C-alpha cells in the first residue's frame, strides 16, 4: 500500500476511535446525575473507557511527530485538521491494528464475496472479524499490561465498537465504489451502443441503396458504379454484407459478370464482387439491375427483313 493509502487508514482509525469516544462522553454527560444504580455503573464504566482510550490510543501530534516510526502516515489527518483540531491522532500500535483490520476488511468486503453471500456479506464479515484472534491480539497490544489485566472486559467492548464503526465505514465506501463502477461500466456500454448505432447509420448513409442502382439512368450506370467503389474503399466486404441482402448481391454479381453459385454465403459473394467492382469502370450487364421492362409494339416482315419495334413499359 502506498504512503497515502496507509495515511488514510490511520486517519480512518482515528475517526473510529473518535466515534466511540464521543459516544461514551455523550452517555456520561447525559446520565451522570442518574439515580439508577445500573445507569450509574454504566456511567463509571464508560468514563473508564474514555480514560483508557486517552491514555493508550490517543496521542498528541507533537509527540507522534518526534517518536512515531511511521511519520508519513500522519499527513492526511493533520492536513484535514480545522481550527478546533477535532481530529485525533492514534498511537503506532493502534495504527498497526487498523492496518491489519483494513487488510481483512478488503478480503471480506469485495465483489466476489458479494456474489457469494449477497445480503449476508456484512454480517459474515462482522462475525469473522469478531472471532479473529490475531486482531484481538493486535488490539490488546495497544494497551499497557496493567490495563489489559484489569480491564479486559472494557478493552474487548471497545474492540467490538471499533469493529462495528470501521466495518460500517468500509461497507459504505464499498457500496459507493460499487455504484460508481457500475455507473462507469453502464455509461461505457451506452456510449459504445450509441457509437455503434452512429457508425451503422453512417454506413447506411454512405451506402448505395439497391433501388438507386436499379433506377440509375446514367450510361452503363456510371454514377452507381462510382458510389459503389467509394463505399467499398471505406467499408470493404463487411459493408456489402451488412447493407445488401443475398438476392441483391447475386444480382450485382450477375451485373458485373461474376460467376457465383446461389449456395455461396454473403461474405463469399461480397469478396468476389469487390474484385469485380474495383476492376471495372462501369457495370457490365445493366439489365440485371435495371427496372425498365420492354414490350414488343410492332413485328413486321418486309422483303425478308424482320422488324421489331419495342417500347418501355408504361411509355405512350
Amino acid at each position: 500500500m502506498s504512503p497515502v493509502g496507509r495515511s488514510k487508514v490511520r486517519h480512518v482509525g482515528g475517526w473510529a476511535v473518535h466515534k466511540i469516544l464521543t459516544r461514551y462522553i455523550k452517555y456520561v454527560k447525559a446520565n451522570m446525575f442518574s439515580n439508577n444504580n445500573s445507569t450509574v455503573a454504566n456511567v463509571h464504566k464508560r468514563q473508564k473507557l474514555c480514560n483508557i482510550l486517552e491514555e493508550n490510543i490517543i496521542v498528541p501530534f507533537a509527540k507522534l511527530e518526534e517518536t512515531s516510526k511511521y511519520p508519513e502516515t500522519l499527513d492526511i489527518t493533520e492536513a484535514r485538521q480545522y481550527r478546533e483540531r477535532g481530529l485525533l491522532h492514534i498511537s503506532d500500535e493502534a495504527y498497526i491494528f487498523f492496518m491489519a483490520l483494513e487488510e481483512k476488511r478488503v478480503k471480506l468486503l469485495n465483489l466476489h464475496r458479494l456474489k457469494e453471500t449477497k445480503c449476508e456479506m456484512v454480517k459474515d464479515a462482522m462475525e469473522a472479524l469478531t472471532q479473529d484472534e490475531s486482531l484481538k491480539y493486535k488490539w490488546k497490544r495497544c494497551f499497557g499490561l496493567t490495563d489489559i489485566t484489569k480491564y479486559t472486559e472494557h478493552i474487548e467492548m471497545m474492540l467490538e465498537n471499533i469493529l462495528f464503526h470501521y466495518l460500517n465505514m468500509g461497507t459504505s465506501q464499498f457500496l459507493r465504489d460499487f455504484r460508481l463502477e457500475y455507473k462507469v461500466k453502464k455509461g461505457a456500454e451506452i456510449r459504445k451502443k450509441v457509437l455503434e448505432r452512429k457508425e451503422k447509420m453512417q454506413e447506411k448513409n454512405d451506402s448505395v441503396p439497391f433501388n438507386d442502382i436499379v433506377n440509375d439512368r446514367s450510361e452503363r450506370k456510371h454514377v452507381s458504379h462510382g458510389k459503389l467503389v467509394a463505399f467499398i474503399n471505406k467499408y470493404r466486404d463487411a459493408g456489402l454484407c451488412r447493407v445488401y441482402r443475398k438476392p441483391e448481391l447475386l444480382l450485382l454479381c450477375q451485373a458485373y459478370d461474376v460467376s457465383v453459385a446461389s449456395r455461396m454465403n454473403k461474405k463469399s459473394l461480397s469478396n468476389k464482387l469487390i474484385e469485380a467492382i474495383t476492376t471495372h469502370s462501369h457495370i457490365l450487364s445493366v439489365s440485371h439491375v435495371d427496372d425498365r421492362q420492354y414490350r414488343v409494339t410492332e413485328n413486321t416482315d418486309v422483303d425478308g427483313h424482320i422488324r421489331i419495334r419495342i417500347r418501355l413499359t408504361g411509355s405512350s
Side-chain angles (χ1 to χ4, degrees), residues 49 55 75 161 204:
L49 291 173
E55 291 170 3
D75 296 340
N161 294 333
K204 184 178 179 181

Side-chain angles (χ1 to χ4, degrees), residues 30-91:
N31 299 281
M32 60 190 306
F33 299 111
S34 175
N35 294 322
N36 185 284
N37 293 333
S38 176
T39 303
V40 171
N42 284 329
V43 167
H44 289 307
K45 183 177 182 179
R46 280 161 177 74
Q47 181 61 54
K48 188 59 186 177
L49 291 173
C50 293
N51 295 338
I52 294 173
L53 283 174
E54 291 173 348
E55 291 170 3
N56 296 276
I57 302 295
I58 302 169
V59 183
F61 173 69
K63 182 178 179 181
L64 278 175
E65 200 174 20
E66 296 177 358
T67 61
S68 177
K69 297 177 182 178
Y70 316 98
E72 72 281 359
T73 62
L74 305 174
D75 296 340
I76 288 185
T77 302
E78 196 58 25
R80 296 181 180 180
Q81 290 282 15
Y82 289 102
R83 186 179 302 172
E84 294 81 5
R85 298 191 63 80
L87 300 179
L88 300 180
H89 285 281
I90 57 176
S91 65

Side-chain angles (χ1 to χ4, degrees), residues 247-262:
E248 294 171 344
L249 289 174
L250 286 170
L251 287 173
L252 285 171
C253 287
Q254 292 174 10
Y256 280 95
D257 290 344
V258 177
S259 179
V260 294
S262 59

